[in-house]
Amino acid sequence: MKKLICAVLGTCLVAATHASAATLLFDFGSATTPTGGNYNNIDPSQQPILNAIDSGGAPTGIGLTTSGFNELGPNTNGTLAPGGAAAIFDAQATRDNLFGHSTNFNAPSPRPQGVLNLTGLDGSGATAYSFTFFGSRLGVPDNRETAYAVTGANASTVYLDSSNNVNNVAVASGIIPTGAGTVSITVGAGPNNNNTDSYFYYLGAMQIESTRVPEPASVALGVVALAGVAVRRRLRVS
């Protein structure tokens, strides 16, 4: 009986955890090559998005502001053939990036960190968010690892080497927004970045997925109900 209830509990938790909501897609790069198909586009002017649309084209009330990236132009040396885990993104989104650097480079001052601020998320604690990042800089010999530090009520930092990247993504999952419904993302050079010129880092595309967090009371009720059904079936068989 104990094993039966544990199995039912596991089933209930999995079912609750996978009750997902909207998916949002973002393209960071050139203003001359925006991505259609219900993408939200951010170019080097870094104008805010006040009401992002989801992958079905519906407005979500989620806002995004960016700052700190090189504002004089995007990097346009990304892949046009994303594969593997990166195949979730359109090639128009992976072909270019917003980027930053530790020296002046072609900007008036260094851009050691880029910052994304998201608003309008669910601040009740009932929704967890997963952030998938992609960056690609082809034709370089060094490691240009980028760190994506995601912070809400909890935090996660993930890393991706953008050098010659075609297939890989970095995923920060289980992020709970603050009570005000905000999440911040800091983008910069990762610890393995060995580009001694300017320590370049990249952000070409981002996907946000949301998942409802099961309420303990709901899970308990579901366990009791399913366990009762299972016991009745077991008695009938006996």
Side-chain angles (χ1 to χ4, degrees):
M1 182 64 179
K2 183 178 180 181
K3 290 182 179 179
L4 177 62
I5 292 176
C6 288
V8 172
L9 176 59
T11 302
C12 186
L13 284 172
V14 169
T17 302
H18 286 83
S20 59
T23 297
L24 289 81
L25 295 164
F26 295 84
D27 172 18
F28 302 88
S30 175
T32 63
T33 56
T35 305
N38 297 323
Y39 268 75
N40 300 278
N41 291 276
I42 295 283
D43 63 46
S45 69
Q46 299 182 65
Q47 296 299 309
I49 292 175
L50 302 179
N51 190 8
I53 58 174
D54 65 21
S55 57
T60 63
I62 294 172
L64 173 67
T65 60
T66 62
S67 62
F69 295 96
N70 187 306
E71 74 279 16
L72 299 184
N75 178 277
T76 57
N77 295 302
T79 182
L80 279 166
I88 61 172
F89 295 115
D90 191 285
Q92 194 76 346
T94 62
R95 68 183 297 177
D96 50 14
N97 308 264
L98 293 187
F99 74 103
H101 37 83
S102 61
T103 64
N104 290 3
F105 189 55
N106 66 349
S109 61
R111 299 291 188 270
Q113 289 184 327
V115 178
L116 285 65
N117 286 306
L118 288 150
T119 58
L121 301 169
D122 182 4
S124 69
T127 304
Y129 293 83
S130 176
F131 298 83
T132 301
F133 303 101
F134 180 83
S136 174
R137 183 20 170 126
L138 303 181
V140 292
D142 47 14
N143 184 313
R144 301 193 180 187
E145 182 183 71
T146 300
Y148 306 93
V150 187
T151 304
N154 58 347
S156 176
T157 301
V158 293
Y159 305 92
L160 177 69
D161 182 7
S162 299
S163 295
N164 305 303
N165 183 35
V166 173
N167 298 320
N168 299 321
V169 299
V171 181
S173 58
I175 301 297
I176 306 295
T178 67
T182 64
V183 165
S184 65
I185 303 168
T186 302
V187 187
N192 295 308
N193 189 312
N194 60 14
N195 172 251
T196 55
D197 178 25
S198 292
Y199 293 96
F200 293 110
Y201 61 87
Y202 303 87
L203 175 60
M206 178 176 71
Q207 176 182 269
I208 302 176
E209 296 177 292
S210 56
T211 303
R212 298 296 292 176
V213 177
E215 296 179 14
S218 298
V219 172
L221 288 173
V223 169
V224 171
L226 289 174
V229 170
V231 168
R232 285 196 298 273
R233 287 179 178 173
R234 189 173 179 181
L235 289 173
R236 288 172 188 168
V237 171
S238 299

